[in-house]
Structures are given as structure tokens and as C-alpha cells.
Amino acid sequence: WAIVSRKGIFDVLECFAKNKEILQNKIIYHIGGTGDTKTMNEFIQQHQLSSFIKYHGWVDNERKEKLFQTADIFVHPSIFESFGISILEAMSYQLPIIATPVGGITDLVENNVNGILIEPGNKKQLYEAILFLIDHPEYLSEMGHQSGKKAEKFYPPAIEKQLDHLYQSIIQHILSNKNSYEYFYQVSSYKSCNSILPFIKEISQYNLEDQIL
């Protein structure tokens, strides 16, 4: 986790500070990553949150795996997010997710299915989401199970199948309209993928390989 404001870490800390009396006996919140650790640590000390917030610094894969395996919930309320790879990692460990519907997160987290989505920066909703899952542990298993199922769609075999389907569709389009290459150029970003070469050879009689590679 990058410890910067756009990742929502300081929203989490402010939420915990405001609701410390209730949360400090209910949770242990683990933080891993690098960034603005000075501001983070100062806030934790100033608001006396160290009894239930543990900062691990940069974590290697082995340590990260242990943290995921022992966690109950993954909280990641980003203000901005391009995709959300850390969320996908947490989902692969069958964890319920508390996150925001920004960027690619909406492709990963479905509200009330494998987690809870809150408005970016809304600390009241963040607190309510955390408290709900604390008070209703029966939801953790089902939401975690759904996270695991959703994560499988992003595993290499699933992505490979989707790409193969895309390539076959492109080839069929070209074969049905040999004089137009516009559709193929729309996905030229895939030209570095070795897996497309067998498909290109299928249509080599139309001399397309030299035009796109």
C-alpha cells in the first residue's frame, strides 16, 4: 500500500481517531507499505492509536502472505485508483473488501456481494462499513468466498482465454472483409503478444503479418 492521501489511508486514520473508544477493543489494523510515513506515524502518536494500529513498513511476499492469511477484512478506501492490484491480491485470499467505487475497483468489488463500497472520503460510511462487518461476522465467509470467485476471472488462464477469443474475433472480421484493416489496428497494442502469431499465420495469404508487426 502506498502511504499517500489518494489511497485513503489518512481517511482511515481519521475515522479511527474519531471512533477510537469503540474500535480500539474490536480491531487490529495492519498497515504495510512506504510513502508519507512521517505524517502517518505522527498522527498515530498524536491520537494515541498505536494500541490497535500496527505498521509493518515495506513487507516482502512472505510477510504479505502471512498478513493476508490472518486478516478478516481488507480496507482500501482510495480517492483515486487506476485498477486496484492490492485489492485483487486480497480477494485472492478470500477477504471481504471495503473500498470505494473509483477507477477499476468497480470491476473488482460488487457492493454487498464481496464487500462494501463507500463514497470516497466519507469517513462516516467507512466507520459504518467496518462496524457492520465486525458486528455481523456471518457475512465474512460468504463475502470472502465471492471475492475468491471474482479473483479467478483475473488469473492468467482466464485472461488467456479472453485474449484468444478476442484474436479469433479479429481474424473472423478480417477474413470477412479483407480490404479493411481498421478493426485490426484498434487492437494493435496486442502486437507484442507471441500468442497472436499462430492466428496471424492463418491469414498470411492476405499479407497482413508484415503490415501489423
Side-chain angles (χ1 to χ4, degrees):
W1 197 352
I3 301 174
V4 292
S5 58
R6 64 183 174 85
K7 294 294 186 179
I9 178 63
F10 295 106
D11 287 337
V12 175
L13 296 180
E14 289 176 20
C15 171
F16 288 176
K18 184 176 181 179
N19 301 283
K20 179 176 67 173
E21 297 305 318
I22 295 176
L23 294 177
Q24 64 182 349
N25 296 317
K26 292 179 178 288
I27 68 170
I28 298 293
Y29 185 65
H30 297 272
I31 302 173
T34 59
D36 192 1
T37 57
K38 182 177 184 294
T39 301
M40 180 191 70
N41 286 324
E42 287 177 351
F43 188 96
I44 292 173
Q45 294 302 319
Q46 179 183 351
H47 293 86
Q48 300 179 333
L49 304 177
S50 57
S51 64
F52 66 104
I53 295 181
K54 306 299 180 185
Y55 175 54
H56 300 273
W58 176 257
V59 294
D60 59 20
N61 288 334
E62 182 179 356
R63 180 59 178 155
K64 180 170 61 175
E65 182 177 5
K66 290 180 180 178
L67 288 171
F68 276 135
Q69 289 175 340
T70 56
D72 297 302
I73 306 167
F74 187 72
V75 181
H76 195 81
S78 293
I79 306 300
F80 170 82
E81 193 72 56
S82 56
F83 177 67
I85 190 65
S86 60
I87 291 177
L88 182 58
E89 281 188 280
M91 289 168 56
S92 72
Y93 286 88
Q94 299 193 356
L95 291 177
I97 310 296
I98 296 177
T100 51
V102 297
I105 294 176
T106 54
D107 294 324
L108 302 174
V109 182
E110 186 176 352
N111 193 38
N112 296 324
V113 175
N114 68 312
I116 300 176
L117 293 174
I118 64 171
E119 296 175 359
N122 193 320
K123 291 177 276 292
K124 182 176 182 292
Q125 288 186 3
L126 175 60
Y127 169 68
E128 291 173 346
I130 293 172
L131 199 62
F132 176 82
L133 291 179
I134 291 173
D135 292 339
H136 298 84
E138 65 273 16
Y139 286 93
L140 297 180
S141 178
E142 178 57 26
M143 283 186 171
H145 176 69
Q146 291 299 325
S147 277
K149 288 178 60 178
K150 286 180 175 293
E152 290 177 359
K153 298 177 182 178
F154 296 89
Y155 291 171
I159 297 298
E160 181 180 355
K161 184 176 181 180
Q162 294 175 42
L163 287 176
D164 285 345
H165 177 74
L166 173 64
Y167 298 154
Q168 291 287 0
S169 298
I170 293 170
I171 291 166
Q172 291 303 317
H173 180 87
I174 294 174
L175 291 177
S176 64
N177 188 3
K178 297 190 294 292
N179 296 322
S180 175
Y181 308 130
E182 179 179 356
Y183 182 80
F184 203 73
Y185 287 149
Q186 291 177 5
V187 291
S188 62
S189 60
Y190 294 111
K191 64 185 179 181
S192 63
C193 297
N194 292 332
S195 54
I196 199 173
L197 293 176
F199 298 124
I200 293 176
K201 290 178 181 178
E202 293 181 17
I203 54 173
S204 60
Q205 64 267 36
Y206 301 116
N207 296 318
L208 294 178
E209 185 171 357
D210 291 339
Q211 298 184 42
I212 62 173
L213 293 180

